[in-house]
Amino acid sequence: MSAAPTPLMGRGRTIALGGVLLALGSISLSIYTPAMPVLVQAFGTTIGSVKATMTFYFAGFALAQLVAGPLSDAYGRRPATFGFLGLYLVASVVAAFAPSIHWLVVARLLQGIGASAGVAMSRAMVRDQYTGAASNHIMNMIGLVLGIGPAMAPTIGGLTLKAFGWQAIFILLIVYGAACIALVATMPETLAARDPSRFHPARLVRTYGAIATDTRFLQPGLTVATTTGCLYTLSTLLPFAMIDRVGLSPWQFGLAMIIQSGSYVAGAAILRQLLRRFTAEAVLPYGIGLILVAGILLAVGLRTLPPSVLTVMGPVAVLAVGVAFTQPAVTTAALAHFPTAAGAAAALFGAMQIGGGLAGALVGLLMSDQVIALATVIPGMAVLAIAAHFSLGRVNRIRAAEAVAAPAAE
């Protein structure tokens, strides 16, 4: 383990900046969801075409992180962030004034690419400055900031849609993107030393290969893909289940999402208190356990009871608390062993997180009944989370014990 770095920003400033950047991608996703059924009529298109705007956003968001992270390792956090945020701003303008669904699909793809930098940069920025318990504390607080924004976004989106129409939602994103650029302009460069060779294709392949095959990264990476990935899956499936099947209007759906947002924020606040007495690693299994309980409630409840706000959002509330419990430990663990490739590790970690959500969403969207999709996909992801965490955790413990025993044997 490398020595603790010297922070260039205080914890409060790091939390605020990291939270705003990290929330960009999720807010851009969730603020838009109440408008999805409305866009079918607005563009005279099919529900499949509107779903494509979500799929392309997910794809751009997940894959572009694999470029954004190494770029920041090579040339610095600030320059890379500026470039991606500039693209995000242009894409948001195109989305706000899109003349057809095809233009909106392209704009959403570019928005996803631009927003991807927020995930990689926010986590790499923390790793540049903090490790261990300090990193866990900051990640928990960033999680609290993250929970407030994206979780309130559907409510804001629904009310904005009702008052001003769908285009106003993207105008809000233009303002948010511009604010992010202004904030980044005030931050110091946290990367200790720039090294352009880190972005050389051959070295990039070796770096990602080393990270992806390290079980110390795979355990938290696969865990986040199947836990936080549940929230991204819900972002896609819930609008259709709650509006088409439960019968909520778009703005009512936005209000109902306060249940998820409030639960996530409550979970992060409870975790903050728990971290005074326990380590984040000790709390992690309980978070995964809550996600499993939520999956069971969805699997049983939605197959035996009619879909309603209670039968859908009740389990979602339990799941949100569980996800809040898992975030600090898995994020710190994923980046802890890669101090010279924090951007690449954060990027791959974020890509796995979004990739898990994209995979779950695609499986759910292929099912004809979105309620049954909720009752199937989320429980399945919860089971995979249990398997990933405990099986790879055992491998890591065995390897750690072997590493300690080897010098003694010599």
Side-chain angles (χ1 to χ4, degrees), residues 249-263:
S249 67
W251 73 272
Q252 287 173 331
F253 166 71
L255 291 177
M257 289 299 290
I258 293 177
I259 297 173
Q260 177 181 309
S261 65
S263 299

Side-chain angles (χ1 to χ4, degrees), residues 5-9 14 17 67-81 120-130 184 187-199 203 338-346:
T6 301
L8 296 177
M9 294 188 290
T14 301
L17 182 58
V67 176
L71 265 177
S72 76
D73 285 336
Y75 299 103
R77 310 302 182 208
R78 278 168 48 93
T81 307
M121 302 313 164
S122 60
R123 289 167 174 161
M125 178 185 66
V126 175
R127 178 60 185 87
D128 288 342
Q129 304 177 90
Y130 298 94
V184 172
M187 69 172 275
E189 176 56 63
T190 61
L191 183 67
R194 301 182 186 187
D195 183 359
S197 69
R198 291 174 181 167
F199 199 65
R203 182 169 177 180
F338 309 99
T340 61

Side-chain angles (χ1 to χ4, degrees), residues 291-308:
I291 295 170
L292 181 61
V293 169
I296 294 171
L297 291 174
L298 286 170
V300 176
L302 294 182
R303 285 183 169 88
T304 58
L305 299 170
S308 66

Side-chain angles (χ1 to χ4, degrees), residues 89-384:
L89 200 59
V90 172
S92 298
V93 173
V94 174
F97 301 101
S100 70
I101 190 66
H102 304 293
W103 277 92
L104 187 59
V105 168
V106 173
R108 289 293 282 171
L109 171 64
L110 296 177
Q111 262 194 326
I113 293 172
S116 68
V119 175
M121 302 313 164
S122 60
R123 289 167 174 161
M125 178 185 66
V126 175
R127 178 60 185 87
D128 288 342
Q129 304 177 90
Y130 298 94
T131 58
S135 175
N136 281 328
H137 169 76
I138 291 172
M139 288 299 180
N140 173 244
M141 293 305 297
I142 286 178
L144 188 57
V145 175
L146 174 65
I148 294 172
M152 289 297 294
T155 304
I156 296 170
L159 295 174
T160 301
L161 175 69
K162 182 178 176 62
F164 304 107
W166 66 269
Q167 289 175 309
I169 293 174
F170 290 107
I171 291 174
L172 288 179
L173 295 181
I174 293 171
V175 174
Y176 189 6
C180 287
I181 291 175
L183 286 173
V184 172
T186 68
M187 69 172 275
E189 176 56 63
T190 61
L191 183 67
R194 301 182 186 187
D195 183 359
S197 69
R198 291 174 181 167
F199 199 65
H200 188 279
R203 182 169 177 180
L204 200 54
V205 170
R206 290 196 301 271
T207 298
Y208 274 130
I211 295 171
T213 56
D214 192 323
T215 56
R216 296 173 301 177
F217 173 86
L218 278 177
Q219 181 192 16
L222 291 174
T223 301
V224 81
T226 48
T227 54
T228 308
C230 286
L231 293 184
Y232 288 99
T233 301
L234 289 173
S235 296
T236 303
L237 301 183
L238 279 178
F240 300 101
M242 298 297 287
I243 294 173
D244 295 342
R245 290 292 305 279
V246 177
L248 300 184
S249 67
W251 73 272
Q252 287 173 331
F253 166 71
L255 291 177
M257 289 299 290
I258 293 177
I259 297 173
Q260 177 181 309
S261 65
S263 299
Y264 186 96
V265 171
I270 293 169
L271 179 60
R272 183 184 180 187
Q273 298 303 313
L274 290 175
L275 291 179
R276 298 177 186 273
R277 298 184 58 189
F278 307 99
T279 65
E281 293 75 15
V283 178
L284 176 58
Y286 295 95
I288 297 175
L290 286 174
I291 295 170
L292 181 61
V293 169
I296 294 171
L297 291 174
L298 286 170
V300 176
L302 294 182
R303 285 183 169 88
T304 58
L305 299 170
S308 66
V309 173
L310 178 62
T311 56
V312 175
M313 298 307 297
V316 167
V318 176
L319 184 144
V321 173
V323 171
F325 276 20
T326 66
Q327 282 293 291
V330 294
T331 304
T332 298
L335 307 186
H337 304 284
F338 309 99
T340 61
L348 186 57
F349 183 74
M352 293 178 71
Q353 174 180 316
I354 307 303
L358 177 59
L362 288 176
V363 171
L365 291 175
L366 289 174
M367 302 177 69
S368 57
D369 189 327
Q370 301 300 289
V371 171
I372 296 301
L374 286 173
T376 304
V377 176
I378 301 301
M381 294 178 74
V383 171
L384 290 175

